[in-house]
Amino acid sequence: MNARQLVLVRHGETQWSRAGRHTGRTDIALTELGQRQADTLGSMLRGRPFAAVLVSPLQRATETLRRANLDVARVRVLEELVEWDYGDYEGLTSEEIRRSVPDWTIWTAPVPGGESAADVGRRADLVISKALDERGDVAIFAHGHVLRVLTARWLGLDVPSGRHFALDTATVSMLGYERNTPVMLAWNQAGYRRDLGSSAGTVPG
């Protein structure tokens, strides 16, 4: 029986996540609230042994990892974990995009100058493969859309199925197995809501 787990951590709040702006490759910092959110992630994860941590190279993810202060010897920065490339839609809200493309959604419509859903799915598959190469549980610090895509692929679903997995900033989710079948064990758990408040939540980036 396979007991391995992938622990997914979405970074803390940024100014753009608070405003609902699509934040793909723009390397934006955490807000003060996002920093405090990241600090609380440490209390949720500290003391848990990880074979490795995989992290996006963008500072909102690396800073969240740094502030969580995990005790882990092996950290791998993976380009495959950067957020969906939103191309011409970078920095725009969904409402702004829908003024020119009614009913637009990242999951089902083209992204001019950016990545297709299939592109992001291929990256997610590579991350899963690299995580499974590790001998033990793995923590993955990254971004809202790419983590939702990764979850869909872990469950054997197509990329657009990720639209069903709402994911807030500074949350912890767990993927694992039930009798060797890939499953979701926990989703969108936050340690900050009671005393720090919540940011815009399920927004891109």
Side-chain angles (χ1 to χ4, degrees):
M1 183 176 295
N2 198 329
R4 174 182 313 206
Q5 295 182 2
L6 305 187
V7 177
L8 312 182
V9 185
R10 186 181 174 195
H11 62 77
E13 181 197 76
T14 68
Q15 288 184 346
W16 280 18
S17 73
R18 178 188 293 170
R21 299 190 177 279
H22 284 77
T23 320
R25 306 305 172 89
T26 303
D27 201 6
I28 192 167
L30 299 178
T31 62
E32 183 178 341
L33 171 61
Q35 293 172 0
R36 297 202 307 271
Q37 290 173 339
D39 293 341
T40 66
L41 289 169
S43 63
M44 299 176 68
L45 298 171
R46 204 168 297 126
R48 174 169 181 159
F50 290 108
V53 172
L54 312 181
V55 61
S56 161
L58 298 176
Q59 65 174 308
R60 57 192 186 273
T62 58
E63 177 67 1
T64 297
L65 171 59
R66 186 188 70 79
R67 297 187 76 97
N69 194 30
L70 301 187
D71 183 15
V72 60
R74 181 170 166 78
V75 175
R76 299 175 63 186
V77 179
L78 297 184
E79 291 290 337
E80 293 89 347
L81 280 172
V82 296
E83 182 56 299
W84 200 313
D85 185 345
Y86 301 122
D88 296 350
Y89 296 149
E90 182 78 1
L92 300 179
T93 66
S94 293
E95 290 72 21
E96 289 170 335
I97 298 167
R98 288 171 186 152
R99 291 172 191 165
S100 57
V101 187
D103 301 321
W104 180 88
T105 140
I106 189 73
W107 304 104
T108 58
V111 182
E115 286 184 289
S116 68
D119 292 334
V120 185
R122 282 189 285 270
R123 291 201 282 114
D125 289 343
L126 283 171
V127 173
I128 290 171
S129 177
K130 290 180 180 183
L132 293 178
D133 283 341
E134 301 291 342
R135 297 184 176 181
D137 294 349
V138 173
I140 300 176
F141 282 69
H143 314 276
H145 273 143
V146 74
L147 290 176
R148 294 166 72 177
V149 171
L150 188 153
T151 298
R153 299 302 301 137
W154 177 264
L155 298 174
L157 304 173
D158 60 13
V159 170
S161 296
R163 68 187 184 275
H164 298 296
F165 308 134
L167 191 62
D168 295 333
T169 52
T171 50
V172 174
S173 304
M174 288 188 291
L175 307 177
Y177 295 90
E178 182 184 57
R179 298 183 179 87
N180 294 322
T181 297
V183 297
M184 181 188 296
L185 298 172
W187 191 254
N188 205 34
Q189 298 183 333
Y192 64 85
R193 287 192 174 112
R194 282 176 290 184
D195 57 353
L196 294 179
S198 177
S199 65
T202 55
V203 293

